[in-house]
Structure formats: structure tokens, C-alpha cells
């Protein structure tokens, strides 16, 4: 499996999973365009001429356009998109969820995915090939109480992914969703109730919910993303791919 000459855009590149995805793809000789609100965690890659970092807000249409335009100008083509940006929800009873919090979660998790996929389609249709991997969440099939807005946003991403897989199939563009289980990144603690002992929850509630007995590592996600972007997954589209140690069962 090699990615030589392929260019992959990674949204949320500075996050726990995003950084692991960027590093994994660079190890496969891909060109990577990494975008995030904050790309400080990718500082070590500045000297790598197969990496282009763009700091910006992907909810801004113009920023999304710029990311793809710069990627194409630098590397000549856009072959893949990974949507690994996102925001969590503190476990909150629905009657206490403010409308602005609901909109924030729907915007970052769903609208941003729409914006990046819309832009990717322009480039991939022109080439007649491409692969998109959206990161969802196992909570779509196994919700936890108090995460209603987050779960709804990820459920929307799942439906959107299937609709797009069908819509873009004639253009030979594969679109899949990967649902991570509880993963050892900064985000995991943000699903706890405000004031909860996050480290204790990680080691008990979250870890115990995984049949295979440990939290998912960002590298576990990155390896499966690599597969879904590769030619080995050429006949995989519209699929819901669980990387969760069995949590969805
Ligand atoms: N960590 C988990 O347990 C878990 C479980 C299931 C699903 N997920 C999903 O996996 C994906 C990656 O999460 P993670 O664990 O790496 O979290 P993370 O918080 O480490 O990374 C998320 C990244 O998204 C970026 N981001 C947010 N809003 C943005 C915006 N407007 N523009 C550009 N970048 C923006 C953040 O800056 C951050 O770097 C998310 O979609 C998340 O919902 C995480």
C-alpha cells in the first residue's frame, strides 16, 4: 500500500487523531495538507516538504477554499479528504442545553464536514477519483445519556456520508464513515460531566465499555483511515467502519 504522489487533506490535523493520521500518511509517502484552528502540535513537520500546514477556521467558507487551492497549487492534485475535526459535548441534561451550544456542536461536527466535502468534490470530480473519510462516533449506535446534541450531529454525518457515497459513485469517489470508540485524546475527558474526575472516568467507565479492554489509540484510528483511503478499499463506499474494540456490539 503506497500513497506516493497522492495528496490528502486532513481537517482537524492538530488534534489527537488528526496528528496521528497526518504522521501515518506521511510515513506512507503521501503529501499532506493539514488544517486546524491550531497547528502548534505539528510544528516538528514544518521542515517536511511533503507537509503543508494551514491554520484556520474550517467553518469559514473562504478558509476551506484556500486550504484546497493551496494544496493543489503545492502538490498538483487532491486525492483524499479526512474529516477529523470536531467538538465534544459535556454530558448535560437536555433541559439545560443552551441553543447556542446546540448550534456550535452541529456547526463544527456537521456543517464543517459539509463544507470540506463540498470543496473536495470539486477537485475529485475533475480528476474522476478520490476518497473521503469522515470521522463519526460509536455514540451514534451506543449513545450515552447527556450527549444528545453530539450524538445527533454525528448521526447526521453518518446519513450525509451514505448520501454522498451514492451521489459521487459515478465519479469514482469513495465516501466512508469511521466510528471511533472511546479514544485516548484530549476530547475524551470533555464528554464527562463538568467537575467529574476525568482520569478516573477514562480508567473505569470509558475503558470498561470496550470489550477488547483498552481505550482506542489515535494510531488505531490512523491505520484504519489509511486503509479506507487506499486502493485496497477500492470497492468500499458508504460503509460504516467501527474502530472501537467492540463497543458498538
Ligand atoms: N476522542 C474520542 O473519544 C472520540 C470518540 C468518538 C469520536 N471522536 C471524534 O473523532 C474526531 C477527532 O477527535 P479527537 O479525539 O482527535 O479530538 P481533539 O479535540 O484532539 O481534535 C479535534 C480537533 O478539531 C479541531 N477543530 C475544532 N473546530 C475546528 C474548526 N472550526 N476549524 C478547524 N479545526 C477545528 C480542534 O482544534 C482539534 O485540534 C472528532 O470528530 C471526534 O468527535 C472522538
Amino acid at each position: 500500500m503506497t500513497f506516493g504522489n497522492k495528496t490528502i487533506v486532513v481537517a482537524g490535523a492538530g488534534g489527537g487523531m488528526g496528528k496521528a493520521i497526518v504522521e501515518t500518511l506521511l510515513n506512507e509517502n503521501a503529501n499532506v495538507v493539514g488544517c486546524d484552528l491550531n497547528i502548534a502540535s505539528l510544528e516538528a513537520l514544518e521542515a517536511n516538504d511533503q507537509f503543508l500546514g494551514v491554520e484556520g477556521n474550517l467553518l469559514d467558507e473562504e478558509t476551506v477554499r484556500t486550504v484546497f487551492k493551496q494544496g493543489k497549487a503545492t502538490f498538483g492534485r487532491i486525492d483524499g479528504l479526512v474529516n477529523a475535526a470536531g467538538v465534544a459535548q459535556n454530558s448535560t441534561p437536555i433541559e439545560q442545553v443552551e441553543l447556542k451550544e446546540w448550534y456550535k456542536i452541529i456547526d463544527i461536527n456537521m456543517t464543517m464536514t459539509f463544507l470540506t466535502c463540498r470543496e473536495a468534490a470539486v477537485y475529485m470530480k475533475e480528476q474522476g477519483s478520490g476518497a473521503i473519510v469522515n470521522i463519526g462516533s460509536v455514540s451514534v449506535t451506543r449513545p450515552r445519556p447527556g450527549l444528545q446534541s453530539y450524538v445527533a450531529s454525528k448521526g447526521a454525518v453518518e446519513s450525509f456520508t451514505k448520501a454522498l457515497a451514492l451521489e459521487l459513485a459515478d465519479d469514482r469517489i469513495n465516501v466512508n464513515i469511521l466510528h471511533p470508540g472511546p479514544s485516548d485524546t484530549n476530547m475524551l475527558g470533555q464528554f464527562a460531566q463538568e467537575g467529574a474526575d476525568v482520569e478516573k472516568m477514562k480508567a473505569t467507565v470509558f475503558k470498561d465499555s470496550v470489550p477488547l479492554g483498552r481505550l482506542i489509540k489515535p494510531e488505531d484510528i490512523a491505520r484504519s483511515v489509511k486503509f479506507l483511503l487506499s486502493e485496497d478499499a477500492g470497492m468500499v463506499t458508504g460503509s460504516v467502519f467501527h474502530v472501537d474494540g467492540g463497543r458498538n456490539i
Side-chain angles (χ1 to χ4, degrees), residues 23 41 47 50 56-57 74 135 168 187 200-201 231:
E23 289 170 347
S41 67
Q50 285 186 262
N57 182 355
T74 309
I135 306 290
L168 298 179
M187 185 180 282
K200 191 170 164 211
M201 272 195 81
E231 279 157 23

Side-chain angles (χ1 to χ4, degrees), residues 37-101:
L37 283 174
N38 183 342
I39 55 169
S41 67
L42 302 169
E43 215 176 64
L45 297 175
E46 252 172 42
N48 186 332
D49 57 15
Q50 285 186 262
F51 177 73
L52 174 69
V54 185
E55 204 162 69
N57 182 355
L58 289 167
L59 270 175
D60 173 57
E61 284 184 286
E62 214 31 61
T63 303
V64 174
R65 284 198 191 101
T66 304
V67 168
F68 282 82
K69 211 184 281 174
Q70 286 191 2
K72 169 110 178 177
T74 309
F75 300 120
R77 39 189 300 125
I78 305 287
D79 301 284
L81 165 67
V82 184
N83 276 307
V87 69
Q89 177 181 17
N90 281 134
S91 177
T92 314
I94 186 164
E95 65 277 16
Q96 290 169 28
V97 178
E98 289 181 27
L99 184 58
K100 70 172 195 292
E101 179 69 4

Side-chain angles (χ1 to χ4, degrees), residues 11-18 35-38 56-59 83-88 108-109 112 135-139 150 154 179-188 190-191:
M17 291 181 202
C35 181
D36 200 295
L37 283 174
N38 183 342
N57 182 355
L58 289 167
L59 270 175
N83 276 307
V87 69
I108 294 177
N109 292 342
M112 200 157 65
I135 306 290
S137 166
V138 69
S139 64
Y150 179 80
K154 293 295 190 176
H179 284 327
S183 308
D184 200 3
T185 69
N186 282 339
M187 185 180 282
L188 187 55
Q190 294 162 16
F191 290 112

